[in-house]
């Protein structure tokens, strides 16, 4: 059988002067992608940024990072790297993935890139689908991942999704691409590795092109899910008020749509940690909702509580889990409350979600932190100062949300901005001088 020639131009439409961030581990898949993009760089005048996360688990990781650094320097490619110093007690693969993608997004925002490219391939898709089926999910989960994902101001693209790992390794050999092998990929203690070593060889023995069947399966489920999502959004608008599920209205919905509502309800709260949630947690919510008890609390993963209070159901962090944070801000910060603060280049509106500053009037760097006892702010347009506590009360901010609400201060401790609520005297209007524009979303 004639071997397929790997050409990512068939899988993605490149345009001139694209800025592309490449997620590169140093393994055979990402190094193949890196080499393919280098070969296309002059044709499309691409601006490439290679981003690498050192997981700090193997001695070889130091050598791998050094090699990528040298390779990028020789090819005039920007190189950005992050070393993970320590891990929490969370699921390792889930935590590492979340750290990687947060860092990738920071680099995308830093360089105002158009595309984040990752080297996910067809074998990865098969593994993901099988793991989701075994664990339990909804249609979106069962469809695995997709070639292109639209984000707020960039796209995640997986141009290798139609090729197998064997094809990528053959590409590396043909083009003399150096790569490193992560020996932890052979350890059976990781779930994905067991699927890779035991299930995939069997499927490929049954059908060498089984990956194409899984790609078709993924596409069909994805299309069906897009339609169902439209119907689910309509249902959510009917049954969710102020981020709380209205139980009598919810129980009037079709049983299939009910499950989709619950998955969406959890997805909005968990965001990147949604991999921790499966069918048993949906069943747990059903039990909670249908209970005859007026008030009931169930525990969910990552210190989250599902609360039933009479005719409403909602999610919240366990009180002991809500902690303080302090983030030094440069250009982009993803916050523990699920929102983002970023630097932008122009003013889209004059709401409290945008803040304009003159750097000569404040002490840099800016800090994003949680509230402290006695916090006071010089509110724009008012004489004197006002307690942040009173601002929260005036704006009817729930007491639990106040614990994680971001407060932007300068290095001298002056409160500069309460994102989404109030601006300080340091905020500038369009007609005044300013050189920093921040947006809260």
């Amino acid at each position: 059988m004639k071997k397929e020639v790997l050409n990512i131009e068939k899988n993605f439409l490149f345009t001139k002067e694209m800025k592309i961030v490449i997620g590169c581990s140093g393994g055979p898949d990402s190094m193949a992608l890196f080499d393919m993009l280098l070969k296309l760089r002059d044709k499309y005048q691409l601006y490439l940024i290679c981003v690498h996360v050192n997981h700090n688990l193997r001695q070889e990781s130091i050598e791998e990072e050094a090699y990528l650094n040298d390779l990028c320097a020789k090819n005039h490619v920007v190189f950005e790297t992050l070393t993970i110093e320590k891990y929490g007690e969370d699921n390792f693969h889930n935590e590492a993935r979340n750290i990687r993608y947060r860092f990738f997004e920071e680099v995308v925002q830093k360089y105002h890139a158009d595309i984040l490219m990752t080297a996910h391939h067809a074998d990865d898709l098969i593994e993901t689908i099988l793991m989701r089926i075994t664990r339990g999910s909804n249609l979106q989960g069962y469809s695995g991942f997709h070639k292109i994902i639209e984000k707020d101001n960039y796209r995640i693209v997986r141009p290798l999704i139609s090729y197998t790992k064997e094809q990528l390794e053959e590409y590396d050999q043909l083009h003399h691409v150096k790569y490193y092998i992560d020996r932890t990929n052979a350890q059976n203690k990781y779930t994905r590795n067991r699927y890779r070593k035991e299930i995939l060889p069997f499927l490929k023995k049954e059908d060498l092109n089984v990956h194409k069947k899984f790609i078709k399966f993924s596409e069909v489920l994805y299309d069906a899910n897009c339609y169902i999502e439209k119907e689910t959004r309509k249902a959510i608008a009917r049954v969710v008020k102020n981020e709380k599920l209205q139980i009598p209205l919810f129980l009037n919905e079709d049983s299939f749509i009910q499950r989709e509502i619950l998955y969406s309800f959890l997805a909005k709260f968990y965001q990147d940690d949604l991999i921790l949630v499966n069918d048993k947690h949906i069943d747990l919510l059903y039990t909670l909702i249908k209970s005859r008890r007026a008030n009931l609390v169930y525990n969910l993963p990552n210190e989250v509580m599902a609360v039933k209070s009479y005719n409403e159901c909602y999610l919240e962090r366990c009180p002991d889990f809500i902690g303080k944070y302090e983030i030094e801000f440069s250009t982009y910060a993803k916050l523990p409350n699920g929102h983002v603060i970023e630097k932008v280049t122009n003013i889209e509106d004059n709401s409290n979600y945008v803040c304009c500053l003159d750097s000569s009037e404040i002490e840099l760097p800016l800090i994003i932190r949680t509230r402290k006892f006695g916090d006071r702010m010089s509110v724009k347009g008012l004489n004197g100062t006002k307690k942040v506590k009173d601002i929260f009360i005036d704006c009817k901010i729930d007491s639990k949300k106040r614990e994680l609400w971001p407060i932007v201060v300068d290095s001298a401790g002056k409160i500069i901005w309460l994102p989404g609520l109030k601006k300080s005297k340091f905020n500038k209007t369009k007609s005044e001088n300013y050189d920093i524009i921040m947006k809260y979303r």
Side-chain angles (χ1 to χ4, degrees):
M1 184 174 69
K2 186 178 179 182
K3 290 184 179 179
E4 182 178 0
V5 177
L6 274 60
N7 179 5
I8 55 174
E9 287 181 282
K10 294 190 299 183
N11 293 331
F12 178 68
L13 182 64
F14 289 88
T15 57
K16 295 283 187 181
E17 299 181 349
M18 266 187 173
K19 283 187 178 180
I20 300 176
V21 172
I22 316 160
C24 195
S25 67
D29 318 325
S30 60
M31 293 306 294
L33 176 61
F34 185 87
D35 187 75
M36 292 174 190
L37 289 171
L38 280 181
K39 287 178 167 58
L40 292 173
R41 179 168 58 178
D42 289 344
K43 179 179 179 180
Y44 292 102
Q45 301 169 26
L46 303 176
Y47 184 88
L48 303 179
I49 304 106
C50 176
V51 57
H52 173 73
V53 174
N54 181 345
H55 291 92
N56 204 21
L57 296 173
R58 299 172 292 111
Q59 188 64 35
E60 302 90 336
S61 63
I62 299 173
E63 178 187 341
E64 293 163 8
E65 181 180 330
Y67 173 72
L68 281 173
N69 191 10
D70 291 343
L71 182 67
C72 288
K74 289 175 184 176
N75 288 281
H76 307 290
V77 172
V78 176
F79 183 62
E80 293 277 356
T81 184
L82 169 74
T83 298
I84 302 176
E85 298 297 342
K86 62 179 181 178
Y87 295 88
E89 298 178 357
D90 196 2
N91 174 282
F92 160 71
H93 274 121
N94 181 55
E95 185 176 4
R97 179 190 179 279
N98 289 343
I99 293 171
R100 279 199 307 275
Y101 273 88
R102 279 197 295 268
F103 181 55
F104 290 172
E105 185 161 342
E106 288 174 7
V107 174
V108 167
Q109 302 297 341
K110 177 179 178 180
Y111 291 95
H112 304 288
D114 309 292
I115 305 292
L116 166 63
M117 278 196 180
T118 66
H120 290 90
H121 49 73
D123 287 14
D124 292 326
L125 179 64
I126 295 174
E127 294 161 12
T128 299
I129 290 173
L130 292 175
M131 288 168 65
R132 297 269 177 86
I133 290 173
T134 304
R135 189 193 70 189
S137 188
N138 61 353
L139 276 184
Q140 181 177 354
Y142 291 140
S143 67
F145 52 79
H146 311 289
K147 184 167 68 176
I148 298 177
I149 297 177
E150 298 287 344
K151 304 292 280 185
D152 287 343
N153 54 2
Y154 70 97
R155 285 179 287 169
I156 299 176
V157 178
R158 299 174 175 116
L160 305 181
I161 196 170
S162 61
Y163 303 128
T164 65
K165 190 172 189 68
E166 289 88 350
Q167 288 177 299
L168 296 173
E169 289 175 342
E170 288 173 1
Y171 175 94
D172 289 335
Q173 292 171 7
L174 179 65
H175 295 274
H176 308 289
V177 176
K178 180 178 178 179
Y179 60 81
Y180 290 83
I181 296 295
D182 183 348
R183 52 185 168 80
T184 63
N185 287 336
Q187 296 176 0
N188 276 346
K189 69 177 182 178
Y190 297 122
T191 305
R192 184 176 288 274
N193 292 354
R194 296 195 294 275
Y195 280 82
R196 183 176 298 150
K197 291 172 62 180
E198 298 171 20
I199 308 299
L200 257 66
F202 168 77
L203 291 174
K204 290 184 178 184
K205 188 176 179 180
E206 291 291 306
D207 183 352
L208 189 61
N209 289 316
V210 69
H211 63 283
K212 295 181 180 179
K213 314 293 174 53
F214 272 82
I215 290 170
K216 181 65 176 177
F217 176 81
S218 174
E219 290 171 348
V220 169
L221 261 62
Y222 179 72
D223 289 343
N225 183 67
C226 286
Y227 170 76
I228 291 167
E229 273 191 342
K230 293 178 184 176
E231 298 303 310
T232 302
R233 283 195 293 270
K234 295 176 186 176
I236 288 172
R238 292 192 292 267
V239 307
V240 177
K241 308 295 181 186
N242 300 320
E243 300 183 358
K244 294 182 178 181
L245 198 67
Q246 307 301 304
I247 293 174
L249 296 175
F250 170 81
L251 293 175
N252 285 334
E253 298 292 331
D254 178 86
S255 60
F256 184 87
I257 293 296
Q258 285 180 0
R259 293 190 73 83
E260 293 300 308
I261 291 171
L262 293 180
Y263 266 108
S264 297
F265 200 52
L266 289 170
K268 185 176 181 181
F269 193 87
Y270 273 89
Q271 298 187 26
D272 290 341
D273 289 334
L274 188 59
I275 194 171
L276 299 174
V277 178
N278 56 39
D279 276 354
K280 72 178 182 181
H281 302 114
I282 298 295
D283 293 338
L284 199 67
L285 284 179
Y286 261 123
T287 303
L288 178 87
I289 288 168
K290 293 182 178 181
S291 171
R292 293 183 178 181
R293 295 177 60 180
N295 291 280
L296 195 59
V297 175
Y298 282 168
N299 291 321
L300 296 173
N302 269 18
E303 307 296 333
V304 173
M305 298 188 304
V307 181
K308 179 186 180 184
S309 178
Y310 297 97
N311 287 325
E312 294 184 329
C313 176
Y314 57 93
L315 305 177
E316 66 179 17
R317 297 284 178 189
C318 296
D320 293 339
F321 187 72
I322 298 174
K324 302 292 183 181
Y325 64 84
E326 191 168 296
I327 303 168
E328 184 174 311
F329 179 79
S330 55
T331 58
Y332 180 87
K334 189 165 186 179
L335 306 174
N337 68 349
H339 290 267
V340 164
I341 293 179
E342 62 183 339
K343 271 190 179 180
V344 294
T345 55
N346 61 326
I347 303 175
E348 298 174 358
D349 58 59
N350 195 35
S351 72
N352 288 319
Y353 288 86
V354 178
C355 180
C356 302
L357 303 170
D358 182 347
S359 60
S360 67
E361 295 183 358
I362 57 178
E363 299 291 331
L364 297 177
L366 296 173
I367 305 293
I368 307 170
R369 62 164 173 82
T370 45
R371 64 176 180 165
K372 294 180 180 179
F373 180 77
D375 270 344
R376 302 186 72 92
M377 176 181 179
S378 296
V379 179
K380 192 172 184 67
L382 294 180
N383 293 323
T385 62
K386 186 168 184 175
K387 289 181 181 179
V388 169
K389 176 183 176 182
D390 292 338
I391 296 174
F392 282 141
I393 293 171
D394 292 345
C395 295
K396 295 182 171 57
I397 302 302
D398 183 272
S399 59
K400 292 183 176 64
K401 288 185 178 181
R402 299 175 199 174
E403 300 301 322
L404 288 179
W405 202 277
I407 298 176
V408 179
V409 303
D410 72 356
S411 293
K414 300 187 295 286
I415 295 180
I416 304 298
W417 183 32
L418 269 181
L421 301 181
K422 291 291 180 182
K423 300 178 182 181
S424 75
K425 67 178 182 180
F426 297 101
N427 182 75
K428 301 298 179 183
T429 63
K430 287 185 178 181
S431 61
E432 294 178 299
N433 293 325
Y434 53 86
D435 55 359
I436 297 174
I437 309 174
M438 303 170 70
K439 182 179 179 181
Y440 179 62
R441 60 175 176 84

